[in-house]
Amino acid sequence: MGNKSSLILRPEDIQHIQEETGFTPNQIERLFSRFTSLDRGDCGTLSKDDFLRIPELAINPLCDRIVHAFFIDSNDDRVNFRQFMNVLARFRPPKPNKIKLNSREDKLKFAFKMYDLDNDDLISREELLNILQMMVGENIDQEHLISIVERTIVEADRSGTGKITFDDFCNALSRTDVERKLSIIFLS
Ligand SMILES: [Ca+2]
């Protein structure tokens, strides 16, 4: 465990984060130690490069997109521990205790943002194709992927925009177990 960080986690910080995210104090301390070990510059924030050194993310085909999502609410391309924990909370497997960041709606919003690269609140054909390519790699040829994209858009597009709005997205996923699918176990 690296002790080089000059930053410390105060009991009141732990309490705030616990209320916001539902993580236990023990989990928060472990994630803090993880956070500080990723924080190479010892500056209390992480850059995108720092994130790419998380092994659980590096092996995920959606790695780039997940990292992108961590930075959506950041305006200087760095995330602090609080922001880091708020995003992690969305990846937690759902628990009966109702933590807002872990709700179905919040997970859907977060998933939507992972697709919506240009942040215009619509998922275009290109954005959908982009995600599919990351997920399937070279296993399916381009033409087949494009036809999947076309079909998905036609089926989901109730708004008639030719793109997928957040409402379309929720409708299309209404029978999917989003809560479990959008869960990544960061703690063993
Ligand atoms: Ca978009």
Side-chain angles (χ1 to χ4, degrees):
M1 218 163 28
N3 259 342
K4 58 187 175 129
S5 176
S6 52
L7 293 147
I8 39 162
L9 197 59
R10 296 167 306 170
E12 56 264 42
D13 298 327
I14 295 181
Q15 199 188 337
H16 267 131
I17 294 171
Q18 186 179 8
E19 282 161 13
E20 253 172 17
T21 64
F23 284 109
T24 66
N26 181 28
Q27 289 173 322
I28 295 168
E29 282 175 27
R30 283 160 65 199
L31 287 164
F32 185 70
S33 124
R34 192 96 197 258
F35 180 90
T36 50
S37 69
L38 290 167
D39 175 18
R40 285 214 168 152
D42 255 354
C43 46
T45 55
L46 300 184
S47 67
K48 288 191 177 167
D49 284 345
D50 292 331
F51 272 88
L52 296 173
R53 292 200 308 273
I54 302 175
E56 294 92 326
L57 273 182
I59 57 165
N60 191 306
L62 296 180
C63 174
D64 277 354
R65 218 33 81 77
I66 294 170
V67 173
H68 163 78
F70 270 92
F71 288 85
I72 286 170
D73 294 329
S74 141
N75 34 27
D76 58 357
D77 278 347
R78 312 277 313 178
V79 294
N80 62 29
F81 186 60
R82 194 84 169 255
Q83 294 165 319
F84 176 75
M85 293 302 287
N86 283 349
V87 177
L88 282 190
R90 300 191 163 96
F91 288 107
R92 296 184 73 205
K95 289 271 163 60
N97 60 353
K98 297 259 186 262
I99 296 290
K100 190 189 162 289
L101 290 173
N102 193 227
S103 68
R104 179 182 173 89
E105 195 195 347
D106 225 77
K107 278 180 186 282
L108 282 168
K109 272 189 191 147
F110 189 75
F112 187 83
K113 286 178 179 179
M114 281 171 46
Y115 286 83
D116 180 21
L117 239 201
D118 63 3
N119 290 328
D120 69 347
D121 293 329
L122 294 166
I123 299 172
S124 66
R125 286 176 164 72
E126 294 71 28
E127 285 167 338
L128 188 56
L129 182 62
N130 196 295
I131 284 268
L132 285 179
Q133 277 167 335
M134 288 183 190
M135 293 199 295
V136 302
E138 306 287 307
N139 300 328
I140 299 183
D141 68 65
Q142 180 85 355
E143 240 170 76
H144 189 185
L145 275 185
I146 291 174
S147 77
I148 294 174
V149 167
E150 288 301 327
R151 203 167 54 225
T152 307
I153 300 253
V154 168
E155 279 171 15
D157 177 25
R158 298 190 182 183
S159 54
T161 53
K163 294 180 180 180
I164 300 178
T165 63
F166 182 62
D167 279 348
D168 294 335
F169 189 73
C170 294
N171 276 324
L173 292 176
S174 59
R175 265 165 277 133
T176 309
D177 187 1
V178 176
E179 288 93 328
R180 301 221 167 266
K181 285 207 172 126
L182 195 60
S183 296
I184 297 176
I185 312 294
F186 276 89
L187 293 166
S188 49

